[in-house]
Amino acid sequence: MKLNKVILSGVVALSCVSASAQEADKTVNVFTPHWYAQAQIGGQYTLGEIGFGKLLSPNAQVGVGYNFNQVVGARLSLNAWQSKAGQNVAGNVYKWKWNYVAPMVDATFNLTNLFCEYNPDRLVEVGVFGGIGANIAWGNDEAADAKAAILKSEAATEALKYGATPLENLWDGTKTRFVARVGANVDFRVSDRVKLGVELSANTLSDKYNSKKAGNPDWYFNALVGVKVALGETHTTKVIPAPKPVEKIIERIIEKPAPAPAPKVESKVVEENFRRDIFFPIGNSNIAKSQSTKIAEIVEYMKENPDAKITLTGYADKGTGSAAFNDKIAARRAQTVYNTLAAKGVAKSRMIKESKGSRVQPFEENDMNRVTICIAK
């Protein structure tokens, strides 16, 4: 048999792992709702017209709170100690102080977790809060003494001729007034359950608080430092196994080409179900630039398959927000993809949009469920 008529063929079977390094298991931290206790001490400045240092007084606060999720919480606190006021009459400064206790209810918001990925090992976190409560004040005897001293002065006697009455809103006994506040805090991590923090707040109440009539609300500002202790686990750790290496069988056929090989006819592989997943940042329904390639691939597929229809299903993750909020943002995510595809030429009659909120979680990893899954058939 001539050599040019001999066909040499061989089959080589190789089992191999993908050329890239094997991925390691991924560890994901999942926030756990929990209670916490808080104790703080610091100072207060009661807004007034005499020197700043003369209106400083001690302040303290204790509280207990609950973090519903990694962003939103609530706190019940008891703020108390002392407030000061004063008046300058013809160069003479009159000062007085009184005591108070203020039970408050606040809504708290962790801005760091809102705008950044949740990380229980983060050293510094920033938050804001706002609330309402009652200011229960007593011991205003010094204000009455100050008014008596002012009325005895020559300057006050002259001012009274023109209708200027000192300490016109003087009060005695125990008075309860509505108070509202807003503030900000910075917490520094010590351990999983312990944080040291700094808190600043602005508090406003009626014009009668400092005994003087000014025609506008009275204010006091608190600066506090303290410790916050979590009363339970703050998070759990979930390990997502790395994908198993894919074994591939590579077959190689070695043969001498035939004199007149038949022309190859390439067959086009058509995907029965075409799928692309459009992922979104936390609390957001805008399509990121990183997802634009997927949008282009969907548009191209729909052009090449004019009979295909596509279903757009929006989702939200369970770890953030309430069920009602998640229903709305999931629907907005589906609507955003719908509007984007329509703007790029995909007929609206070929698209179906749905929303499953956070009731269904298509992925095990919490953050991946901020998604619109697009399936074309």
Side-chain angles (χ1 to χ4, degrees), residues 13-257:
L14 300 175
S15 296
C16 62
V17 182
S18 176
S20 60
Q22 181 177 342
E23 296 182 18
D25 293 348
K26 184 176 180 181
T27 301
V28 178
N29 293 308
V30 180
F31 180 88
T32 301
H34 59 275
W35 291 90
Y36 64 87
Q38 192 172 28
Q40 300 161 288
I41 192 167
Q44 178 181 111
Y45 168 67
T46 311
L47 188 64
E49 68 272 17
I50 65 173
F52 177 82
K54 293 182 174 63
L55 295 175
L56 293 179
S57 55
N59 191 251
Q61 182 168 277
V62 293
V64 61
Y66 187 77
N67 289 322
F68 299 101
N69 54 48
Q70 61 198 46
V71 175
V72 180
R75 179 179 68 175
L76 174 64
S77 65
L78 197 65
N79 180 262
W81 207 325
Q82 191 180 89
S83 292
K84 289 184 177 180
Q87 192 163 18
N88 189 323
V89 180
N92 295 318
V93 175
Y94 300 87
K95 299 183 297 179
W96 58 95
K97 60 181 181 294
W98 64 99
N99 298 317
Y100 79 92
V101 60
M104 303 289 295
V105 177
D106 297 308
T108 63
F109 304 91
N110 188 313
L111 298 183
T112 303
N113 287 341
L114 177 62
F115 296 107
C116 305
E117 184 177 356
Y118 172 67
N119 179 6
D121 298 323
R122 186 177 284 117
L123 296 179
V124 182
E125 292 183 336
V126 178
V128 294
F129 60 89
I132 58 175
N135 181 292
I136 306 168
W138 71 94
N140 200 34
D141 297 338
E142 290 187 11
D145 295 339
K147 181 171 183 176
I150 294 172
L151 291 174
K152 291 179 181 178
S153 67
E154 294 182 4
T157 302
E158 185 66 23
L160 286 170
K161 296 178 181 179
Y162 300 97
T165 304
L167 279 71
E168 191 171 348
N169 285 333
L170 178 66
W171 55 271
D172 59 6
T174 300
K175 298 295 182 182
T176 301
R177 300 177 178 88
F178 172 81
V179 60
R181 72 177 174 186
V182 293
N185 63 281
V186 180
D187 288 334
F188 302 88
R189 182 182 183 275
V190 177
S191 67
D192 280 348
R193 296 195 181 186
V194 180
K195 294 179 181 179
L196 299 179
V198 179
E199 179 177 309
L200 302 174
S201 66
N203 303 259
T204 183
L205 26 61
S206 75
D207 187 32
K208 296 182 179 181
Y209 184 61
N210 62 10
S211 298
K212 298 184 296 182
K213 186 174 182 179
N216 51 260
D218 289 336
W219 292 81
Y220 59 81
F221 303 88
N222 293 335
L224 301 166
V225 296
V227 62
K228 182 188 295 182
V229 180
L231 306 178
E233 295 295 334
T234 60
H235 69 283
T236 57
T237 301
K238 183 178 181 181
V239 177
I240 301 177
K244 292 182 179 180
V246 179
E247 294 187 353
K248 297 180 180 179
I249 303 299
I250 302 176
E251 294 185 355
R252 182 182 301 161
I253 299 176
I254 305 173
E255 63 177 291
K256 188 174 181 179

